[in-house]
Amino acid sequence: MAAEGPTLIASVQQAFRLMEAVSAHEGGAPAQQLARKAELPLTTTYHLLRTLVHDGYLRELEDDGYVLGDRVDNLQSGGREQDFSCVRPALASVRDDLSAAAYLTFYEGGEIRVAEIVDSPRAPRVELWAGFEDAGHATALGKCLLRELDDEARNDYLSRHPLADLTPRTITGRSELLQRLGTSPRPPIVTDMEEYTLGTYCVAVPVFRGQTPGALGVSLRVDRLSHINQVRDRLIPAAKRVTRTLSLTMRH
């Protein structure tokens, strides 16, 4: 008698195939396209989409497209914390050397995600009164990431995130923003000068986690603007060390 194989739940397999199809389209895809990609009947696709949206694993866009939801991030958060714990010493060193809160962000799933913030009472973080996901145009970290994206990914982000007027210094014109991204005065650093929060300027430089672009940055009071060259000289080698550490972590 042949040994029986494992009991498989077809609907679970279908749900995962559908989520894989959604993850392949960072800007979102409609049900019909997802059904073809996952090789599922359209009726089944609609039932699964409705369930996954209800439970937060997918999110439905205004144009009837679907993207991964917040519950997926929650599933991955433990792994991300473990991955990024290896770079906390480098961020802490930046914080202590510059007496400034250090931030690490990545562009994942079409959004700007904050991976780590290392601060202290002497180097407090900026109050995140407007989410980093929606403020890429107004933060050094966000602009650094936008500069590293290709045209398609950058245009996709900007099409989904209005350039909100956060302070009188915020860049709210798309053409001006793109011009600024292409003419950084002291490459590879990117700055925001009171564009996110009045009284604060930020400096960021690019890092990478494999092919995923990221940014390492610090926030300082504007009365410390004269220290910007010191900040640049400290951030660039720190970013290289973070990229190297993350690369080694991914190999193991």
Side-chain angles (χ1 to χ4, degrees):
M1 183 176 178
E4 293 185 2
T7 301
L8 304 179
I9 309 299
S11 59
V12 175
Q13 292 178 310
Q14 292 170 340
F16 280 121
R17 279 161 50 194
L18 186 58
M19 291 183 67
E20 288 175 352
V22 172
S23 69
H25 298 85
E26 291 187 356
Q32 295 87 342
Q33 184 177 354
L34 294 172
R36 290 193 299 271
K37 178 78 173 178
E39 300 181 348
L40 295 173
L42 186 57
T43 302
T44 301
T45 299
Y46 276 120
H47 286 313
L48 290 171
L49 288 172
R50 199 157 40 242
T51 301
L52 292 168
V53 168
H54 177 272
D55 287 348
Y57 292 102
L58 297 181
R59 180 163 56 92
E60 185 175 5
L61 305 176
E62 292 182 0
D63 62 359
D64 296 327
Y66 293 85
V67 295
L68 295 178
D70 293 338
R71 292 289 292 277
V72 175
D73 287 337
N74 292 341
L75 287 174
Q76 297 174 335
S77 61
R80 278 208 302 270
E81 289 175 4
Q82 184 176 1
D83 287 344
F84 297 135
S85 64
C86 62
V87 299
R88 287 176 190 152
L91 271 63
S93 179
V94 169
R95 175 201 62 195
D96 295 342
D97 287 350
L98 297 175
S99 297
Y103 309 78
L104 182 65
T105 61
F106 287 94
Y107 192 77
E108 298 176 319
E111 301 294 348
I112 297 170
R113 312 285 191 190
V114 178
E116 288 288 342
I117 300 177
V118 178
D119 60 355
S120 69
R122 295 182 61 185
R125 68 183 67 185
V126 171
E127 182 183 353
L128 305 182
W129 67 275
F132 266 63
E133 290 187 4
D134 298 316
H137 65 296
T139 66
L141 292 156
K143 289 191 289 183
C144 187
L145 285 170
L146 290 174
R147 189 182 63 178
E148 295 301 320
L149 299 179
D150 58 32
D151 290 342
E152 182 179 358
R154 187 185 305 112
N155 289 333
D156 171 66
Y157 175 87
L158 294 175
S159 70
R160 294 181 286 106
H161 298 275
L163 305 187
D165 187 6
L166 303 182
T167 79
R169 295 180 177 271
T170 305
I171 300 171
T172 57
R174 183 165 174 165
S175 60
E176 181 184 358
L177 175 65
L178 294 176
Q179 182 182 14
R180 294 279 189 92
L181 292 178
T183 57
S184 178
R186 300 180 181 88
I189 72 169
V190 178
T191 62
D192 83 69
M193 298 295 176
E194 300 185 273
E195 296 162 45
Y196 181 78
T197 299
L198 290 177
T200 298
Y201 81 96
C202 299
V203 182
V205 294
V207 298
F208 293 90
R209 182 173 180 258
Q211 298 300 313
T212 302
L216 168 65
V218 292
S219 59
L220 304 98
R221 299 187 313 273
V222 291
D223 60 10
R224 298 180 62 196
L225 187 57
S226 61
H227 297 181
I228 192 168
N229 288 332
Q230 176 190 355
V231 172
R232 178 185 187 276
D233 293 343
R234 185 67 185 85
L235 279 182
I236 292 173
K240 292 179 180 178
R241 188 160 64 251
V242 168
T243 295
R244 185 168 58 251
T245 301
L246 291 174
S247 176
L248 293 172
T249 302
M250 292 179 69
R251 295 176 188 173
H252 292 87

